[in-house]
Structure formats: C-alpha cells, structure tokens
Amino acid sequence: MKETPVPRVVTCRTCGKPVAWIPENTYRPFCSERCRSIDLGAWAAEEYRVPEQSKPLPDEQ
Ligand SMILES: [Zn+2]
C-alpha cells in the first residue's frame, strides 16, 4: 500500500483553471502571474473608485 500525496486543487479566480496548491506555485490561488495581476488590478480599480464629492474641500480662502 503506497500513499501518494494528492495536492489540493483550487480554481484560479481569474480564468477558472484548476491550480495545484503546492509551495512551488507562488501565484496561488491563481494559475499564473498574469491572472494574479489581472485580479489585483481589478481590486485596485475598485479601491480607487471613490466618490469625488466625499472628499473634503481644500481650505482655499
Ligand atoms: Zn488563471
């Protein structure tokens, strides 16, 4: 009886490809650096979408 370690497989959040959750995969939970940048870019875009009118007015008199 031989035990084979089965890596946990997750789904790439960007493209939906199965990604093995292994230490060698530095881009997990993404399949590649490209997918990781796409997701981080989308996240950053959401963060920067701040309503302009909520900003305090500059103190110009
Ligand atoms: Zn991907």
Side-chain angles (χ1 to χ4, degrees):
M1 193 171 148
K2 195 180 165 191
E3 276 185 39
T4 319
V6 180
R8 190 181 153 203
V9 176
V10 295
T11 307
C12 174
R13 282 171 54 183
T14 304
C15 72
K17 265 170 65 175
V19 182
W21 192 276
I22 49 172
E24 285 79 9
N25 183 7
T26 52
Y27 305 120
R28 66 188 192 273
F30 306 99
C31 68
S32 61
E33 185 179 12
R34 186 191 174 89
C35 279
R36 188 179 64 170
S37 339
I38 290 170
D39 189 82
L40 290 178
W43 181 84
E46 287 290 319
E47 281 295 296
Y48 286 122
R49 208 178 294 153
V50 178
E52 285 292 315
Q53 59 262 42
S54 72
K55 278 162 68 175
L57 292 168
D59 215 347
E60 277 180 62
Q61 286 174 18

